[in-house]
Amino acid sequence: MELSSNSDSSHNAKTRGSWARRTGFKSNLSGESGSIASESESRDVEMGATPAARNPNPQPAATSGRRETPTSVPEVVVASSYIRKETNANGSVKEKESGSTKGLDGHVNRPAPAPSTPVPPPTLPTVPARSTERVRGSSAGGQIRVEPVDNGGGQIRVERMKGHTENDVDLLSQSQDSDDEHLEKHSHMKYELRENPGYVSLVLYGFQHYISMIGSLILIPLIIVPAMGGEDKDTAYVVSSVLLVSGISTLLHTSFGSRLPLIQGASFVYLAPALAIINSSDFTSRGNNRFKATMRELQGAIIVASVFQVFLGYSGLMNLFLRLINPVVVAPTVAAVGLSFFTYGFPVVGTCFEIGIPQILLIVFFALHLRKVSIMGHRIFQIYAVPLGLGITWAYAFLLTATGAYSFKGCDFSVPSSNILSESCRRHAYTMQHCRTDTSKALKLAAWIRFPYPLQWGIPTFHYKTAFVMIVVSIIASVDSVGSYHASSLLVASRAPSRGVVGRGIGMEGITSALAGLWGIGTGATTLTENVHTIAVTKMGSRRSVEIGACLMIAFSFVGKVGALLASIPQVIVAGLLCVMWAMLAALGLSNLRYSETGSSRNVVIVGLALFLSLSIPAYFQDYGVSPDFVATTSSTLQPYIVASHGPFQTSFIGLNFILNTLISMNMLIAFVVAFLLDNTVPGSKQERGVYVWFKGKSTKGERTVLKDYGLPFGLGRCFRWVKWVGL
């Protein structure tokens, strides 16, 4: 087998990020040409077939303006120790060490006859001695390492490392002392992690990043505040608090957390347990103070859970936990978060078909059918599918309201349904409340300037049963963030983060969730899974642009009318957006399977069983003990979250009943437990399981780009260098 060292004349050295990319080195061993600088472009190599079988008629590499010559042909040799063989210009063979020398196919490569006219040997590149390419491959002898040696003769050394028989994909290309080595690593991205396009572009791209994720940021308050009995102004205040906490949390995370361009905000992971607490019998019987009492209970539970998450991240336990968390576990867990809310999405859309159905179709049409339409170099419809669909549908609903489509004679939409005496008005009350655009008074009552402040709802209350539920949920949120870290790093960073960086990010998410508990937004503040889709679509991976966008969100949170405007979105439009957002969340969760063997029967059974049981077991708990004459205290769309009052666990310990009935009725927890147990007990290779490849912190001495990507600012990394489990 031969490795051609001649580069094409069209080779552009400026776009190469490693020695192979700069010199045009082409390796038949890896099956790639010039792509070893990127982990995301690495490929597994099958070493079972001989090179002759893979390429029975090898052709010389095409060159422009020069003739191919067999003089000083670099040859690949295999040895358990250092063995080197070189063919000189006169055709003689020179061996540096005694013993038999064979190629990877088991045969000694014979030198070609020398040409009649002597041709000077081609000038081969000088490769730094530290440059190393480790190629993944598995054969009978174990793992193979290819190492270019700086001896001026184009020598390639192949060394078989004993004791490694698993396929271990890890293509490394050591960076040089200059940042120019990081050029064009991700050609599909406009700007990478540490690139700054300029202040004007930073502001525009930062605003774009947040606008494209507006649905994930503001929709949770529009669900939980009305469920808690809050008024329109309360919804506006919570929306403003979400914008403020999201901005502060994002700045903290991009500076002292994982340092990836990931927006932090109210996570859908916390929505199900929050609704379970809201609809528990302890708070449904409250009177006028129900909203504040329930919010203070959520605040206390989230603060306790955040303390546990801080301990999980900064104590080093997350490093051990990561060894058990693989894509086969993350995929069904995150997917179950989106699938668990199917009882809320379309049933609410059905209250106003003429608005909800067109909205869903419009968003799908923008996101899919028009995704390749470019306007001034920007794919507007793909990037802004959600905000465009929201704006157009909201304007359409406003026209229907203004023309009297939802005005019924003698009926007043502001009167509660329980106080309506007319039977005809009672039938139309639900439609008017969900479809009209003028039902909310938040925009009229909100002040122009308002500063959200900590403990604005009062002193948090603490109870062990709600706190324990949120602690378990914080573990699920951490698993969700692990998948987001890995997927986003492949898009924007030079390497995947180390386990220490992941632990540091989880610890910082605990701090940001504590801030969410102090300000009272109803949920914890963690990494939003939709970040991965937004980065891939906008092709903007600059950390600075996300920080600028976070500053804009903080500024908008002080404008009361902004929060009030977002709080006045009609319920049917909210449900239509959630149908799209939850479907995207489920799809993003399943996309983690691309890091594993999706066709493996082992993985198919694990993921399928986890998803099915995550829907079936909670359904059993939700239907248990419900008699035909059961009178629900909440709307039909929220009845799955009142299971704590009638679940199968009915012991003398009321707190224990609440914990067990609530946790086992949560879809995401069932999916996580089933996938976690099966993936870590059923045998499977690393390649089959899809183990996440985290960068080894001890290798950063030769990787300046990794230090700049994930190193702490202001020299803090030096102070915490001894804390290996929270850094590099």
Side-chain angles (χ1 to χ4, degrees):
M1 183 180 67
E2 296 182 355
L3 297 180
S4 175
S5 60
N6 294 325
S7 60
D8 198 343
S9 60
S10 61
H11 165 65
N12 184 4
K14 292 184 178 180
T15 63
R16 304 300 182 180
S18 68
W19 67 271
R21 286 176 176 260
R22 291 194 309 276
T23 61
F25 173 78
K26 298 179 181 179
S27 173
N28 291 330
L29 179 65
S30 64
E32 298 281 337
S33 59
S35 61
I36 65 170
S38 174
E39 278 187 0
S40 62
E41 298 174 357
S42 62
R43 297 292 186 269
D44 292 340
V45 181
E46 294 185 3
M47 301 306 298
T50 63
R54 292 195 302 269
N55 189 12
N57 297 314
Q59 299 295 331
T63 57
S64 177
R66 66 186 182 187
R67 189 177 64 180
E68 188 72 15
T69 175
T71 307
S72 186
V73 178
E75 184 169 350
V76 177
V77 295
V78 177
S80 58
S81 61
Y82 185 86
I83 298 178
R84 190 168 60 191
K85 179 180 179 181
E86 181 177 355
T87 304
N88 296 326
N90 57 4
S92 62
V93 178
K94 183 180 179 180
E95 295 185 357
K96 291 295 185 180
E97 185 174 302
S98 60
S100 60
T101 304
K102 295 183 179 181
L104 291 179
D105 55 355
H107 297 83
V108 177
N109 296 321
R110 300 300 181 186
S116 57
T117 303
V119 179
T123 303
L124 294 177
T126 300
V127 182
R130 63 182 179 180
S131 297
T132 304
E133 178 192 2
R134 288 191 299 170
V135 180
R136 261 191 229 220
S138 179
S139 62
Q143 195 178 15
I144 292 177
R145 183 175 67 190
V146 176
E147 181 177 352
V149 182
D150 185 16
N151 62 354
Q155 180 66 36
I156 303 294
R157 182 178 68 193
V158 178
E159 184 176 349
R160 188 179 303 280
M161 296 181 292
K162 298 181 178 180
H164 296 274
T165 58
E166 297 287 350
N167 289 334
D168 187 14
V169 180
D170 187 12
L171 295 181
L172 297 180
S173 59
Q174 299 291 347
S175 63
Q176 307 298 316
D177 294 338
S178 172
D179 287 341
D180 294 338
E181 301 301 320
H182 198 242
L183 291 174
E184 300 291 340
K185 182 180 184 301
H186 302 286
S187 59
H188 58 282
M189 298 296 295
K190 291 181 180 178
Y191 298 98
E192 295 186 357
L193 187 62
R194 292 180 285 109
E195 294 179 335
N196 299 322
Y199 289 107
V200 176
S201 299
L202 281 175
V203 174
L204 295 178
Y205 283 125
F207 186 71
Q208 165 191 280
H209 205 93
Y210 268 87
I211 289 298
S212 62
M213 297 182 61
I214 192 66
S216 302
L217 289 173
I218 66 170
L219 294 181
I220 290 181
L222 302 183
I223 298 175
I224 63 174
V225 175
M228 288 188 286
E231 301 177 355
D232 296 334
K233 64 176 183 179
D234 298 326
T235 305
Y237 292 162
V238 174
V239 170
S240 297
S241 300
V242 168
L243 297 179
L244 177 62
V245 172
S246 176
I248 296 175
S249 301
T250 302
L251 290 176
L252 290 174
H253 193 81
T254 55
S255 300
F256 308 105
S258 70
R259 305 218 68 196
L260 290 168
L262 300 175
I263 293 177
Q264 310 293 297
S267 175
F268 285 121
V269 176
Y270 288 90
L271 180 57
L275 290 174
I277 295 174
I278 291 170
N279 292 284
S280 64
S281 57
D282 294 339
F283 302 102
T284 53
S285 60
R286 295 291 181 98
N288 297 329
N289 295 326
R290 181 191 173 193
F291 168 72
K292 290 187 176 181
T294 309
M295 181 62 80
R296 290 196 296 268
E297 184 69 25
L298 290 175
Q299 287 180 264
I302 292 170
I303 291 174
V304 174
S306 66
V307 173
F308 171 79
Q309 198 170 15
V310 169
F311 174 77
L312 178 67
Y314 289 129
S315 66
L317 289 178
M318 194 64 198
N319 292 9
L320 302 177
F321 195 45
L322 284 176
R323 302 179 186 275
L324 306 176
I325 300 300
N326 301 316
V328 178
V329 178
V330 175
T333 302
V334 179
V337 175
L339 296 176
S340 61
F341 299 107
F342 65 92
T343 58
Y344 182 89
F346 200 81
V348 179
V349 173
T351 61
C352 196
F353 278 108
E354 60 274 18
I355 294 178
I357 297 298
Q359 179 191 16
I360 295 176
L361 295 178
L362 193 62
I363 295 176
V364 172
F365 183 70
F366 286 158
L368 298 180
H369 296 83
L370 299 182
R371 70 185 188 277
K372 294 185 178 180
V373 176
S374 180
I375 300 177
M376 300 180 64
H378 298 275
R379 294 186 177 182
I380 302 297
F381 297 104
Q382 185 182 22
I383 297 174
Y384 302 109
V386 171
L388 281 176
L390 170 62
I392 295 174
T393 308
W394 200 353
Y396 166 62
F398 177 80
L399 291 177
L400 291 179
T401 302
T403 55
Y406 305 114
S407 297
F408 302 95
K409 185 177 180 180
C411 300
D412 187 0
F413 63 86
S414 60
V415 178
S417 301
S418 58
N419 297 337
I420 297 177
L421 300 178
S422 174
E423 186 65 25
S424 60
C425 290
R426 189 175 300 171
R427 290 197 305 267
H428 298 305
Y430 195 74
T431 300
M432 290 188 296
Q433 292 173 358
H434 285 80
C435 301
R436 293 184 65 95
T437 58
D438 56 355
T439 57
S440 177
K441 300 178 182 179
L443 197 59
K444 297 180 181 178
L445 300 177
W448 277 100
I449 303 296
R450 182 183 182 274
F451 295 93
Y453 55 92
L455 305 180
Q456 56 188 334
W457 313 116
I459 303 299
T461 57
F462 300 90
H463 294 91
Y464 75 93
K465 59 180 182 179
T466 56
F468 187 83
V469 169
M470 283 298 181
I471 287 175
V472 176
V473 172
S474 67
I475 298 176
I476 306 297
S478 301
V479 173
D480 182 13
S481 298
V482 167
S484 299
Y485 291 172
H486 188 270
S488 60
S489 66
L490 295 182
L491 293 173
V492 302
S494 59
R495 295 284 186 274
S498 65
R499 286 189 173 91
V501 173
V502 175
R504 191 177 70 198
I506 297 301
M508 182 53 63
E509 288 188 11
I511 295 176
T512 57
S513 293
L515 296 179
L518 291 175
W519 261 270
I521 65 174
T523 65
T526 60
T527 299
L528 301 180
T529 309
E530 296 81 357
N531 275 287
V532 179
H533 175 263
T534 301
I535 294 174
V537 170
T538 61
K539 303 184 185 303
M540 169 52 63
S542 173
R543 178 166 53 208
R544 188 61 56 83
S545 67
V546 174
E547 293 173 346
I548 295 297
C551 294
L552 292 176
M553 291 302 105
I554 294 175
F556 288 146
S557 68
F558 298 147
V559 182
K561 292 294 185 181
V562 173
L565 177 65
L566 297 175
S568 60
I569 300 176
Q571 286 293 317
V572 65
I573 296 181
V574 172
L577 289 176
L578 287 173
C579 287
V580 178
M581 300 305 300
W582 286 333
M584 183 183 299
L585 182 60
L588 289 173
L590 293 176
S591 68
N592 283 274
L593 291 175
R594 69 183 183 270
Y595 306 120
S596 65
E597 289 187 359
T598 55
S600 169
S601 59
R602 172 190 182 275
N603 296 345
V604 169
V605 172
I606 292 176
V607 174
L609 190 62
L611 287 177
F612 177 79
L613 292 180
S614 70
L615 298 176
S616 183
I617 293 178
Y620 167 76
F621 273 70
Q622 293 160 8
D623 294 338
Y624 185 89
V626 178
S627 58
D629 56 347
F630 176 76
V631 179
T633 57
T634 61
S635 63
S636 59
T637 57
L638 298 179
Q639 286 184 11
Y641 305 103
I642 62 174
V643 66
S645 60
H646 60 80
F649 290 99
Q650 299 295 332
T651 66
S652 57
F653 300 96
I654 299 177
L656 181 62
N657 298 339
F658 177 85
I659 292 174
L660 295 177
N661 288 326
T662 300
L663 289 179
I664 302 180
S665 64
M666 289 167 49
N667 308 75
M668 56 185 177
L669 180 62
I670 299 299
F672 170 72
V673 172
V674 173
F676 181 85
L677 292 178
L678 292 179
D679 185 56
N680 288 282
T681 56
V682 178
S685 64
K686 289 184 178 180
Q687 182 179 359
E688 187 178 21
R689 298 177 65 189
V691 178
Y692 286 125
V693 181
W694 304 112
F695 188 69
K696 295 182 179 179
K698 63 182 180 180
S699 302
T700 56
K701 293 182 179 179
E703 290 280 352
R704 287 195 175 186
T705 55
V706 177
L707 288 172
K708 291 185 178 181
D709 285 348
Y710 300 110
L712 292 174
F714 312 118
L716 294 177
R718 299 177 181 177
C719 301
F720 296 97
R721 185 172 297 175
W722 58 276
V723 191
K724 300 298 183 182
W725 55 87
V726 295
L728 298 174

